[in-house]
Amino acid sequence: MTSFKPFPSLDFVKSIMANPSSSSILVSAQAPVLGFTGKPEHWVDDKGSSFQNPWPSWRAHTFRDMVSLLPESMKFPAPSKDSVEKLFPIRKPTWGADSVSTTNFKDKIISTWLGHACFLVEMPKRSDAASRGVRILFDPVFSDRCSPSQLVGPKRFTQPPCKIEEIPEVDVIVISHNHYDHMDTHTLQTLFKRQRKPHIFAPLGNGPYLRSLSIPNENMHLLDWWNRSRVEEYTLSVDITCTPAQHFTGRGLFDRFKTLWASWVVEEVPTNDTPGDIVPRKVYFAGDTGYRAVLEGKKEEELPFCPAFKEIGEKFGGFDFAMIPIGAYSPRHFMSPIHCCPSDSVNLFKDVRAKKALGMHWGTWVLTGEDVVEPPKFTKEECEKQGVDPENFGVCEIGETVLF
């Protein structure tokens, strides 16, 4: 039985006030929504109904930016079927089962990349009484098109490595933000039809959407930046913290910035059975984020970068494993405020103090103008340029399981 000890979100408090008879295991563990007084700087208003990026590293797109992107977007290169089959091998996921007999996996983080920004991460199995570690599914999207309609919009050039129904039992689903390539109606509805209902963590403002999928309040946990909840799964526990990122949101023409975007931290919580010499593992999921806004005629290294990532690294003391976006960065002048290019990604890797990382947000849909095989190549080059061992920050195949 999974239980939670939360620092609750504003959305959750509002839902309880609106419906005081609703039952939830969260209600008995109320704590202040904010750890400080006054309006958070990423809130546009005192109600938390709209959000903003509060750093000099952010630049909002102008109408001229949007118009100038249209002709460029018509030229985004789509890979041929033959090149996809050759360059993007897809593995049938084993979820680490093939490593169990040859690896001491009890203290390992087990990560399986399912394409784009979707990972299934299993935390270490510390207790002999536990059948497995706590499982977290990040940004699951299995639809063919990341679009309001499956008739139009960006279409996959690589397929998911398995069916949704073949994903093992998960305890938690974490959503970084509401864009269609990160939050998918069909995928979430299918996962929630299971007998064991996962708990869904999402940033502020996503309550109405999740309720439209008939997800009850007790399975819905909406957090602000720096809010945290504890997930207790039998004899194992993890803390899940919503952390900042530089991005934006919107699923239509009139809801931009109305819901929050986030990165996420997952930390092991020692139990009574945990040996004293074990250091709890920590995982970081960057979601979808930019690092700095590039301006014409300015050197990138002279421009302000988002300070949130260094703050995250300092607060948590680094991470054993990080999932960091490396793709969807061209044209640079437009994409830089919202998406990392490989040089940004390596800077982010260093800022959060990650020991190991895998690149994501590439290899699934043609969303921007760079060649689909560029991101891993340039990430390796940037690692070498910035003094990071490429063995510590690279990529894996779709469906591949890596142990950390």
Side-chain angles (χ1 to χ4, degrees), residues 133-163:
V134 178
R135 287 190 187 134
I136 306 100
L137 185 62
F138 294 93
D139 280 5
V141 178
F142 275 64
S143 290
D144 192 38
R145 296 182 185 271
C146 56
S147 168
S149 169
Q150 288 303 297
L151 299 177
V152 296
K155 181 178 173 62
R156 283 178 178 269
F157 64 85
T158 56
Q159 295 304 306
C162 65
K163 297 178 180 179

Short mmCIF file of all heavy atoms in Angstrom, two decimals, residues 133-163:
data_model
loop_
_atom_site.label_atom_id
_atom_site.label_comp_id
_atom_site.label_asym_id
_atom_site.label_seq_id
_atom_site.Cartn_x
_atom_site.Cartn_y
_atom_site.Cartn_z
N GLY A 133 12.22 -2.16 -6.06
CA GLY A 133 12.29 -0.79 -5.61
C GLY A 133 11.09 0.02 -6.04
O GLY A 133 10.26 -0.44 -6.85
N VAL A 134 10.95 1.24 -5.52
CA VAL A 134 9.88 2.15 -5.92
C VAL A 134 10.08 2.53 -7.39
O VAL A 134 11.18 2.88 -7.81
CB VAL A 134 9.88 3.41 -5.04
CG1 VAL A 134 8.79 4.38 -5.51
CG2 VAL A 134 9.68 3.04 -3.58
N ARG A 135 9.01 2.43 -8.17
CA ARG A 135 9.09 2.72 -9.61
C ARG A 135 8.40 4.05 -9.93
O ARG A 135 7.25 4.28 -9.53
CB ARG A 135 8.43 1.60 -10.42
CG ARG A 135 9.25 0.31 -10.46
CD ARG A 135 8.66 -0.65 -11.46
NE ARG A 135 9.32 -1.96 -11.40
CZ ARG A 135 8.68 -3.12 -11.40
NH1 ARG A 135 7.36 -3.14 -11.46
NH2 ARG A 135 9.36 -4.24 -11.35
N ILE A 136 9.11 4.87 -10.72
CA ILE A 136 8.60 6.18 -11.14
C ILE A 136 8.65 6.24 -12.66
O ILE A 136 9.69 5.98 -13.26
CB ILE A 136 9.43 7.33 -10.54
CG1 ILE A 136 9.52 7.20 -9.02
CG2 ILE A 136 8.83 8.68 -10.93
CD1 ILE A 136 10.81 6.61 -8.53
N LEU A 137 7.54 6.60 -13.28
CA LEU A 137 7.45 6.75 -14.74
C LEU A 137 7.39 8.24 -15.05
O LEU A 137 6.46 8.93 -14.62
CB LEU A 137 6.22 6.02 -15.26
CG LEU A 137 6.01 5.98 -16.78
CD1 LEU A 137 7.15 5.23 -17.47
CD2 LEU A 137 4.66 5.33 -17.11
N PHE A 138 8.37 8.74 -15.81
CA PHE A 138 8.46 10.15 -16.11
C PHE A 138 7.90 10.45 -17.50
O PHE A 138 8.25 9.79 -18.48
CB PHE A 138 9.92 10.62 -16.06
CG PHE A 138 10.55 10.57 -14.69
CD1 PHE A 138 11.25 9.46 -14.28
CD2 PHE A 138 10.42 11.64 -13.82
CE1 PHE A 138 11.84 9.40 -13.03
CE2 PHE A 138 11.00 11.59 -12.56
CZ PHE A 138 11.72 10.48 -12.16
N ASP A 139 7.06 11.45 -17.59
CA ASP A 139 6.54 12.02 -18.85
C ASP A 139 6.18 10.96 -19.90
O ASP A 139 6.69 10.99 -21.03
CB ASP A 139 7.57 12.99 -19.44
CG ASP A 139 7.53 14.35 -18.76
OD1 ASP A 139 6.78 14.52 -17.79
OD2 ASP A 139 8.27 15.25 -19.22
N PRO A 140 5.28 10.03 -19.57
CA PRO A 140 4.95 8.98 -20.54
C PRO A 140 4.05 9.49 -21.67
O PRO A 140 2.98 10.04 -21.43
CB PRO A 140 4.21 7.94 -19.69
CG PRO A 140 3.58 8.74 -18.58
CD PRO A 140 4.55 9.87 -18.30
N VAL A 141 4.51 9.33 -22.91
CA VAL A 141 3.72 9.67 -24.10
C VAL A 141 3.90 8.55 -25.11
O VAL A 141 4.98 8.38 -25.66
CB VAL A 141 4.14 11.02 -24.72
CG1 VAL A 141 3.32 11.30 -25.98
CG2 VAL A 141 3.98 12.16 -23.72
N PHE A 142 2.81 7.80 -25.38
CA PHE A 142 2.88 6.67 -26.30
C PHE A 142 2.05 6.91 -27.56
O PHE A 142 2.01 6.06 -28.44
CB PHE A 142 2.42 5.39 -25.60
CG PHE A 142 3.51 4.70 -24.83
CD1 PHE A 142 4.11 5.31 -23.75
CD2 PHE A 142 3.97 3.45 -25.20
CE1 PHE A 142 5.13 4.70 -23.04
CE2 PHE A 142 4.99 2.82 -24.51
CZ PHE A 142 5.57 3.44 -23.43
N SER A 143 1.38 8.05 -27.65
CA SER A 143 0.60 8.35 -28.85
C SER A 143 1.53 8.56 -30.05
O SER A 143 2.71 8.89 -29.89
CB SER A 143 -0.27 9.59 -28.64
OG SER A 143 -1.31 9.31 -27.73
N ASP A 144 0.97 8.38 -31.25
CA ASP A 144 1.76 8.51 -32.47
C ASP A 144 2.12 9.97 -32.73
O ASP A 144 3.24 10.28 -33.14
CB ASP A 144 0.98 7.93 -33.65
CG ASP A 144 1.84 7.75 -34.88
OD1 ASP A 144 3.02 7.36 -34.72
OD2 ASP A 144 1.36 7.99 -35.99
N ARG A 145 1.18 10.86 -32.50
CA ARG A 145 1.42 12.29 -32.73
C ARG A 145 1.37 13.03 -31.40
O ARG A 145 0.48 12.78 -30.57
CB ARG A 145 0.39 12.88 -33.69
CG ARG A 145 0.44 12.28 -35.10
CD ARG A 145 -0.59 12.96 -36.00
NE ARG A 145 -0.67 12.35 -37.32
CZ ARG A 145 0.07 12.71 -38.37
NH1 ARG A 145 0.95 13.70 -38.23
NH2 ARG A 145 -0.07 12.11 -39.53
N CYS A 146 2.31 13.96 -31.20
CA CYS A 146 2.24 14.83 -30.01
C CYS A 146 1.48 16.09 -30.43
O CYS A 146 2.07 17.09 -30.83
CB CYS A 146 3.62 15.13 -29.46
SG CYS A 146 4.80 15.86 -30.62
N SER A 147 0.17 16.01 -30.32
CA SER A 147 -0.70 17.02 -30.91
C SER A 147 -2.09 16.91 -30.30
O SER A 147 -2.45 15.85 -29.75
CB SER A 147 -0.78 16.77 -32.43
OG SER A 147 -1.79 17.53 -33.03
N PRO A 148 -2.90 17.96 -30.38
CA PRO A 148 -4.30 17.85 -29.92
C PRO A 148 -5.08 16.81 -30.71
O PRO A 148 -6.12 16.33 -30.25
CB PRO A 148 -4.86 19.24 -30.15
CG PRO A 148 -3.68 20.13 -30.20
CD PRO A 148 -2.58 19.32 -30.80
N SER A 149 -4.62 16.47 -31.92
CA SER A 149 -5.31 15.51 -32.77
C SER A 149 -4.32 14.48 -33.29
O SER A 149 -3.17 14.80 -33.60
CB SER A 149 -5.97 16.22 -33.96
OG SER A 149 -6.44 15.29 -34.91
N GLN A 150 -4.78 13.24 -33.42
CA GLN A 150 -3.95 12.19 -33.99
C GLN A 150 -4.03 12.18 -35.51
O GLN A 150 -3.48 11.28 -36.17
CB GLN A 150 -4.34 10.83 -33.42
CG GLN A 150 -3.94 10.64 -31.96
CD GLN A 150 -2.45 10.82 -31.74
OE1 GLN A 150 -1.63 10.07 -32.28
NE2 GLN A 150 -2.07 11.83 -30.96
N LEU A 151 -4.66 13.19 -36.09
CA LEU A 151 -4.75 13.32 -37.55
C LEU A 151 -3.70 14.28 -38.09
O LEU A 151 -3.31 14.19 -39.26
CB LEU A 151 -6.15 13.79 -37.96
CG LEU A 151 -7.30 12.86 -37.57
CD1 LEU A 151 -8.63 13.49 -37.97
CD2 LEU A 151 -7.14 11.49 -38.22
N VAL A 152 -3.28 15.24 -37.26
CA VAL A 152 -2.30 16.23 -37.69
C VAL A 152 -1.28 16.42 -36.58
O VAL A 152 -1.48 16.00 -35.44
CB VAL A 152 -2.96 17.58 -38.02
CG1 VAL A 152 -3.90 17.45 -39.21
CG2 VAL A 152 -3.72 18.13 -36.80
N GLY A 153 -0.18 17.09 -36.92
CA GLY A 153 0.83 17.38 -35.93
C GLY A 153 2.03 16.47 -36.05
O GLY A 153 2.04 15.51 -36.84
N PRO A 154 3.10 16.74 -35.27
CA PRO A 154 4.32 15.94 -35.35
C PRO A 154 4.07 14.45 -35.15
O PRO A 154 3.43 14.05 -34.16
CB PRO A 154 5.18 16.52 -34.23
CG PRO A 154 4.69 17.92 -34.05
CD PRO A 154 3.22 17.85 -34.32
N LYS A 155 4.57 13.65 -36.07
CA LYS A 155 4.35 12.19 -36.07
C LYS A 155 5.67 11.49 -35.73
O LYS A 155 6.74 11.91 -36.17
CB LYS A 155 3.85 11.73 -37.43
CG LYS A 155 3.56 10.25 -37.56
CD LYS A 155 3.03 9.94 -38.96
CE LYS A 155 2.88 8.43 -39.19
NZ LYS A 155 1.92 7.83 -38.25
N ARG A 156 5.58 10.45 -34.96
CA ARG A 156 6.78 9.71 -34.58
C ARG A 156 7.56 9.22 -35.79
O ARG A 156 6.97 8.71 -36.74
CB ARG A 156 6.40 8.47 -33.76
CG ARG A 156 6.03 8.74 -32.32
CD ARG A 156 5.63 7.44 -31.63
NE ARG A 156 5.32 7.67 -30.24
CZ ARG A 156 6.20 7.60 -29.24
NH1 ARG A 156 7.45 7.27 -29.52
NH2 ARG A 156 5.85 7.84 -28.00
N PHE A 157 8.88 9.34 -35.73
CA PHE A 157 9.70 8.65 -36.71
C PHE A 157 10.37 7.42 -36.08
O PHE A 157 10.94 6.59 -36.79
CB PHE A 157 10.74 9.58 -37.35
CG PHE A 157 11.78 10.14 -36.42
CD1 PHE A 157 12.93 9.42 -36.12
CD2 PHE A 157 11.63 11.41 -35.88
CE1 PHE A 157 13.90 9.96 -35.29
CE2 PHE A 157 12.60 11.95 -35.05
CZ PHE A 157 13.74 11.21 -34.75
N THR A 158 10.31 7.31 -34.75
CA THR A 158 10.66 6.05 -34.07
C THR A 158 9.46 5.63 -33.22
O THR A 158 8.76 6.47 -32.66
CB THR A 158 11.88 6.23 -33.15
OG1 THR A 158 11.63 7.29 -32.21
CG2 THR A 158 13.14 6.52 -33.96
N GLN A 159 9.23 4.35 -33.13
CA GLN A 159 8.08 3.83 -32.41
C GLN A 159 8.44 3.53 -30.95
O GLN A 159 9.61 3.30 -30.62
CB GLN A 159 7.57 2.56 -33.08
CG GLN A 159 7.01 2.80 -34.47
CD GLN A 159 5.89 3.83 -34.47
OE1 GLN A 159 4.91 3.71 -33.73
NE2 GLN A 159 6.04 4.86 -35.30
N PRO A 160 7.44 3.52 -30.06
CA PRO A 160 7.72 3.11 -28.68
C PRO A 160 8.28 1.69 -28.66
O PRO A 160 7.92 0.85 -29.50
CB PRO A 160 6.34 3.17 -28.01
CG PRO A 160 5.53 4.08 -28.88
CD PRO A 160 6.03 3.88 -30.28
N PRO A 161 9.14 1.38 -27.72
CA PRO A 161 9.75 0.05 -27.67
C PRO A 161 8.84 -1.04 -27.13
O PRO A 161 9.19 -2.22 -27.15
CB PRO A 161 10.95 0.25 -26.76
CG PRO A 161 10.50 1.33 -25.82
CD PRO A 161 9.65 2.25 -26.66
N CYS A 162 7.66 -0.65 -26.64
CA CYS A 162 6.71 -1.62 -26.10
C CYS A 162 5.32 -0.98 -26.11
O CYS A 162 5.17 0.21 -26.39
CB CYS A 162 7.08 -2.04 -24.67
SG CYS A 162 6.99 -0.69 -23.47
N LYS A 163 4.31 -1.78 -25.81
CA LYS A 163 2.96 -1.25 -25.63
C LYS A 163 2.82 -0.68 -24.22
O LYS A 163 3.56 -1.06 -23.30
CB LYS A 163 1.93 -2.36 -25.84
CG LYS A 163 1.92 -2.95 -27.24
CD LYS A 163 0.90 -4.08 -27.34
CE LYS A 163 0.89 -4.68 -28.74
NZ LYS A 163 -0.08 -5.80 -28.86
#
